[in-house]
Amino acid sequence: SVALMTIHAAKGLEFPVVFIVGLNDGTLPHFRSFDEPEGRQEERRLFYVALTRAQEEVFLTHTKQRLWFGRKTVRHVSPYLEAIQEDLKQYKKPFSGRSTAKKRSAQLSLFEL
């Protein structure tokens, strides 16, 4: 099964695989924490908590751009992601949001019983 939750809700829990999405500056750390040094420290601590929820694998994702109130905006990588040692990272080709009818029907078959 898949459990979707916030980092706050994941405290004390462990999962075989963890996905942490949205590792962009302004998202994690959240832009509201920029004005307070304590806020940024708390955000870093929460990121560490999220990383340590994974028993086997953790996947970290970020975007290069996103729609923000209907406008495309450039997104910068989170400093927390940049701080991870390069030898611990593996880069994968980004997901292409374009799907063909063939792919779409193949995915729908996953839900057939």
Side-chain angles (χ1 to χ4, degrees):
S1 69
V2 175
L4 298 176
M5 63 185 65
T6 65
I7 294 173
H8 293 85
K11 289 181 187 176
L13 302 174
E14 289 187 332
F15 304 93
V17 178
V18 170
F19 287 82
I20 304 173
V21 300
L23 285 172
N24 292 93
D25 201 19
T27 305
L28 191 65
H30 195 270
F31 69 89
R32 290 184 185 156
S33 69
F34 289 176
D35 296 336
E36 315 165 17
E38 306 87 34
R40 287 185 75 96
Q41 289 173 353
E42 177 66 9
E43 294 278 301
R44 183 178 291 277
R45 189 187 67 74
L46 284 170
F47 176 61
Y48 179 76
V49 165
L51 284 175
T52 59
R53 301 304 91 203
Q55 295 169 323
E56 298 168 22
E57 290 185 285
V58 63
F59 293 86
L60 309 172
T61 68
H62 67 90
T63 61
K64 290 185 178 182
Q65 65 180 10
R66 68 173 279 197
L67 285 179
W68 184 257
F69 295 104
R71 300 180 117 176
K72 281 187 181 180
T73 59
V74 174
R75 306 295 295 172
H76 301 284
V77 176
S78 170
Y80 303 157
L81 183 55
E82 289 180 329
I84 295 173
Q85 294 172 252
E86 283 300 316
D87 62 326
L88 297 175
K89 298 178 192 176
Q90 288 183 0
Y91 294 93
K92 302 287 182 175
K93 184 177 179 180
F95 167 76
S96 173
R98 296 179 183 158
S99 63
T100 64
K102 184 183 273 187
K103 286 184 183 179
R104 203 173 290 140
S105 66
Q107 183 169 349
L108 290 176
S109 69
L110 292 174
F111 298 103
E112 295 175 5
L113 298 175

